[in-house]
Amino acid sequence: MTALSVSEPGRDCPLCPRLHDFIAEWRQREPSWFNAPVPTFLPPEGDAAVQLLIVGLAPGLRGANRTGRPFTGDYAGDLLYSTLISHGFARGEFKARPDDGLELVGTAITNAVRCVPPENKPVGAEIATCRTFLVPTIARFPNLRAVLALGSIAHQSTVRALGGRVAAYPFKHGGQLPAGGITLFSSYHCSRYNTNTGVLTEAMFVSVFSQIAAFLRT
């Protein structure tokens, strides 16, 4: 079985009953939405081109769950993709639609939990279950050098996916640690809540990507 076949859950993945039922409810309410596990967003050149993997928490209800592309359709994507474009990790124009033509450059984007959770809050068992997809997602990129985890939950799940102990890799905004043969970077999540409350400023977010870009040039 290939890494690809095990890294992407099926459209009707039943492994987390609460999330499966929540999506089923939204398929009834909004049949035109994507309403399924959101696949990893890849550069057009494929897996071998990926040097940076970005790991978010989970799809937003009216964002990726609606559009089918990570960080597409809500505020978090506005900040993420503008920052990616400015640092050369994406090209084109982000218009918050999966058909906007935006392309990633040497970068892939996924989520620690692939299905939208009620109230944007996955529970521990769901995070652990979906790690069965995060582990092979990380493994599918033969030239991966860096992973950026957005938020503490994504950070902790990524540490575990890399075979590390969470206590040995504490979450810190701007953190940079070697882990599992790659370098793990961490940032506060680029959610509207974090930016509205001042937990994360645009300058803080940009600084993390400048750090990653400098690392990948070495």
Side-chain angles (χ1 to χ4, degrees):
M1 188 174 289
T2 66
L4 174 60
S5 64
V6 296
S7 66
E8 298 295 338
R11 179 169 176 83
D12 294 306
C13 179
L15 296 180
C16 299
R18 187 180 76 116
L19 304 189
H20 180 271
D21 291 349
F22 188 60
I23 285 177
E25 174 189 332
W26 277 94
R27 285 181 182 174
Q28 292 291 324
R29 295 171 66 170
E30 297 287 351
S32 66
W33 289 10
F34 185 75
N35 286 322
V38 175
T40 302
F41 185 21
L42 300 168
E45 296 81 7
D47 291 1
V50 174
Q51 291 191 301
L52 168 65
L53 174 65
I54 298 169
V55 181
L57 173 55
L61 178 61
R62 291 174 174 81
N65 179 67
R66 175 174 61 85
T67 64
R69 191 176 73 179
F71 291 90
T72 300
D74 53 23
Y75 171 79
D78 295 345
L79 179 54
L80 175 61
Y81 286 111
S82 65
T83 307
L84 288 173
I85 292 168
S86 67
H87 285 79
F89 293 117
R91 57 180 171 246
E93 184 177 357
F94 176 68
K95 297 180 181 177
R97 304 191 316 267
D99 62 351
D100 56 15
L102 180 116
E103 294 181 341
L104 297 177
V105 179
T107 303
I109 304 174
T110 196
N111 280 305
V113 176
R114 299 298 188 88
C115 293
V116 58
E119 301 178 352
N120 291 322
K121 294 178 181 177
V123 300
E126 292 160 352
I127 298 164
T129 296
C130 213
R131 200 174 304 122
T132 62
F133 300 108
L134 181 58
V135 170
T137 294
I138 293 171
R140 69 186 280 186
F141 304 119
N143 298 308
L144 187 67
R145 296 184 59 202
V147 175
L148 169 61
L150 299 177
S152 60
I153 293 175
H155 171 89
Q156 291 169 10
S157 194
T158 301
V159 168
R160 291 187 171 104
L162 292 168
R165 291 171 47 251
V166 169
Y169 298 90
F171 173 79
K172 175 186 176 184
H173 178 80
Q176 177 178 343
L177 293 167
I182 57 93
T183 297
L184 176 61
F185 294 82
S186 301
S187 170
Y188 292 127
H189 195 283
C190 48
S191 66
R192 185 183 292 276
Y193 177 83
N194 280 348
T195 55
N196 282 351
T197 57
V199 170
L200 178 70
T201 65
E202 183 175 346
M204 290 167 64
F205 198 58
V206 166
S207 176
V208 170
F209 279 89
S210 298
Q211 186 181 349
I212 294 169
F215 168 78
L216 291 176
R217 284 195 297 267
T218 61

